[in-house]
Amino acid sequence: MFPVIQQGKWLRWCKQQALSVESAVFALDTCYYGLGWRTRPGTLLLTETELIHHSYSWRDTFYAMFEPSIRVVLPLSDIAQATIHKPRLGRRWLHSLPDAFLRIVTRRGEIHNLVLQRKGGEFLDALRRRGVLVDDERDAEPGAPPNAAPPHR
């Protein structure tokens, strides 16, 4: 998948939104928030204390047509678990075969879905280094419980 905003425009946009790309431990210009038809393209930042997804508006990129810009901030201390999963082929095709689908669950039970077009492994490593529990369901046996260990090969 390709970025939905040009690199130079993204950096200017982040500065206008008070998003410090330079001090982030992870930054990605194209990450979708949510699943399905109302998926919002935006930028994803991970700082030492927060996970931030700030969606683009229709003024920023054609890919956000008819959508307002929304900022979602999750303190890392509020995240109970992050799970990377592999949805069915139809959903993967709908999202142009992204690098990673991630479900974030907060301690209050809120669910936040992220679709990373690139750098999924880097993002997961950055989350783990900040103490977030990350499960990987992509290699689990069919019918196995969600947190089951991948099969030995």
Side-chain angles (χ1 to χ4, degrees):
M1 181 60 162
F2 53 91
V4 299
I5 191 168
Q6 295 173 340
Q7 185 71 17
K9 186 176 181 180
W10 174 63
L11 292 172
R12 286 190 304 278
W13 182 85
C14 286
K15 189 173 184 176
Q16 292 169 347
Q17 305 302 322
L19 295 169
S20 179
V21 173
E22 298 81 20
S23 66
V25 295
F26 178 87
L28 186 61
D29 57 5
T30 303
C31 175
Y32 289 84
Y33 179 85
L35 296 175
W37 297 110
R38 294 300 308 261
T39 300
R40 296 178 181 279
T43 191
L44 181 68
L45 295 179
L46 179 64
T47 70
E48 290 294 339
T49 59
E50 297 176 321
L51 175 62
I52 303 166
H53 183 277
H54 196 128
S55 60
Y56 303 122
S57 76
W58 61 272
R59 288 181 216 99
D60 306 314
T61 177
F62 171 78
Y63 294 93
M65 189 60 75
F66 307 115
E67 297 290 347
S69 182
I70 295 174
R71 188 177 196 143
V72 176
V73 179
L74 299 174
L76 294 181
S77 61
D78 286 355
I79 297 176
Q81 182 175 2
T83 304
I84 186 168
H85 57 100
K86 185 176 181 178
R88 294 182 183 187
L89 183 60
R91 183 162 302 240
R92 291 193 318 262
W93 275 102
L94 176 67
H95 292 284
S96 302
L97 300 172
D99 191 40
F101 284 86
L102 194 69
R103 183 181 311 113
I104 306 284
V105 180
T106 67
R107 298 193 190 288
R108 293 185 303 269
E110 298 169 340
I111 296 174
H112 302 270
N113 291 295
L114 300 173
V115 181
L116 283 78
Q117 299 301 320
R118 310 182 306 284
K119 299 184 180 182
E122 283 181 44
F123 179 65
L124 294 173
D125 289 342
L127 280 176
R128 285 183 184 110
R129 285 192 301 273
R130 267 128 211 102
V132 174
L133 174 65
V134 177
D135 284 335
D136 191 340
E137 294 180 350
R138 293 175 296 180
D139 293 328
E141 287 286 335
N147 294 327
H152 297 311
R153 298 181 196 216

